[in-house]
Amino acid sequence: MTFVPGLLKGRVAFVAGGTSGINLGIASALGEYGARVAVFSRNAERVEGAQRLLAAGGVDAMGYVGDVREYASIERAMGACAEWAGGIDIVVSGAAGNFLCPANELSANGFRTVVDIDLNGTFNVLRSAYPHLRRPGASIINISAPQATEVYFAQVHVSAAKAGVDMLTRSLASEWGHEGIRVNAIVPGPILDTEGMARLAASEEIREAWLQANPMRRFGTAREVANLALFLCSDAASYVNGAIIHCDGGQVLGGGRDFSSSWAALKK
Ligand code: NAP
Ligand code: COA
């Protein structure tokens, strides 16, 4: 237990892409602290599984099947959630797609697919949530990625998409702030036991290199990302708006450009 029990009692959360990994971790944490939680994703079995898992933890949970790329499908789910729970207070937009592919091998449809899920999908989630948000006091959290601001090989599609997510975060924080709707983003670093890590860190060697490049010399957990989400959607963050916050052990500081081994050699 990290926060005050019942921190989010009476709140309703909609977590897009909330049926696995980091987003499911966030959904579980929001529920643990009292929110009613709806999760949304494409795969019906996953949706059912996540809903069952949340309910087993004592969360009042709902699940909707759909695709963030299709406005009608997310609009329908958002409306159903608002009807189920009487409104929406918290929205997490975390649905994403990723694979490694250098630009010269990436098809136009491959590029478009990732931009469509991550960027257009995030707009669709936020835009469809807007009429249902209880304000003042609503909180939106977009899940970004380090690729939004740093260049990684074979990640042009993700960089383009997540850079857009960051600007959506800032733009809507600016447009909606006066209504009492806060829009922030979390940038997770490498998080253990996730699909994202499995797809990008394909070998033990790569994982070891990443570990050495991280100032904390360890990977993060979904729970650590969820703790930041809990803060951002609580009243404790009532004046935090348009912020893009890293939860990465300091990876963004550029451990890969660390001269500590040269320094150690010079001192010998
Ligand atoms: P994950 O387990 O693959 O989660 C992705 C979720 O999005 C799944 O629930 C998936 O369910 C859903 N989804 C995918 N496409 C969708 C679509 N078109 N419409 C609706 N739902 C869709 O991934 P993860 O690794 O935990 O990553 C979660 C988030 O964190 C992503 O935004 C990712 O970019 C970000 N992130 C992850 C890491 C990391 O270390 N893992 C690092 C930085 C950022 P369905 O298949 O059922 O649709
Ligand atoms: N390398 C290169 N191109 C790829 C690819 C890969 N590994 N995987 C898919 N593509 C391309 C496909 O070839 C296709 O392009 P084409 O029509 O020119 O051949 C395009 O991307 C769409 O692929 P498709 O499989 O039809 O997309 P989808 O909508 O069914 O699935 C993905 C979307 C590809 C992003 C899929 O990996 C997914 O659902 N991911 C969700 C989970 C995830 O990525 N989690 C990590 C989050 S960080």
Side-chain angles (χ1 to χ4, degrees):
M1 192 67 75
T2 315
F3 295 88
V4 181
L7 181 78
L8 301 176
K9 201 165 166 30
R11 313 267 175 105
V12 177
F14 187 103
V15 185
T19 59
S20 70
I22 293 172
N23 305 321
L24 178 56
I26 293 174
S28 304
L30 299 178
E32 183 185 327
Y33 282 92
R36 298 174 78 186
V37 180
V39 292
F40 172 93
S41 83
R42 294 165 300 174
N43 182 305
E45 276 175 31
R46 271 193 168 180
V47 170
E48 264 172 46
Q51 194 183 342
R52 230 179 297 119
L53 184 101
L54 291 166
V59 180
D60 189 4
M62 184 55 86
Y64 301 103
V65 178
D67 192 320
V68 293
R69 290 171 285 191
E70 292 159 16
Y71 192 76
S73 113
I74 182 71
E75 187 183 38
R76 206 178 311 117
M78 209 59 86
C81 173
E83 201 169 308
W84 166 64
I88 299 173
D89 307 281
I90 296 163
V91 175
V92 178
S93 177
N98 195 3
F99 48 79
L100 283 170
C101 187
N104 60 342
E105 291 185 23
L106 184 62
S107 71
N109 193 35
F111 183 86
R112 184 172 38 239
T113 296
V114 171
V115 170
D116 222 9
I117 302 171
D118 295 26
L119 175 56
N120 299 338
T122 295
F123 179 79
N124 292 344
V125 170
L126 272 51
R127 179 64 187 86
S128 61
Y130 178 80
H132 306 292
L133 292 174
R134 289 196 284 225
R135 62 268 242 176
S139 173
I140 294 171
I141 300 171
N142 295 327
I143 308 301
S144 183
Q147 291 90 326
T149 49
E150 294 167 65
V151 172
Y152 289 80
F153 178 72
Q155 287 284 273
V156 63
H157 39 312
V158 176
S159 283
K162 293 289 193 179
V165 169
D166 283 5
M167 284 314 292
L168 262 183
T169 303
R170 295 189 177 103
S171 299
L172 297 187
S174 172
E175 287 197 23
W176 295 351
H178 73 100
E179 294 188 53
I181 301 170
R182 296 181 296 105
V183 187
N184 295 292
I186 294 177
V187 185
I191 303 302
L192 282 168
D193 303 322
T194 59
E195 185 63 28
M197 268 283 277
R199 287 181 181 221
L200 301 189
S203 72
E204 197 46 53
E205 217 179 351
I206 296 168
R207 279 188 287 277
E208 187 52 35
W210 283 17
L211 270 184
Q212 293 314 317
N214 189 295
M216 296 187 75
R217 303 286 189 274
R218 69 173 179 85
F219 297 131
T221 64
R223 186 62 202 209
E224 288 174 312
V225 179
N227 284 340
L228 177 53
L230 280 168
F231 165 69
L232 283 175
C233 58
S234 76
D235 293 339
S238 54
Y239 203 49
V240 181
N241 187 30
I244 296 172
I245 306 178
H246 290 254
C247 182
D248 65 354
Q251 179 182 273
V252 70
L253 302 174
R257 297 182 290 278
D258 184 359
F259 291 132
S260 59
S261 48
S262 299
W263 172 243
L266 276 175
K267 286 197 11 172
K268 270 192 187 156

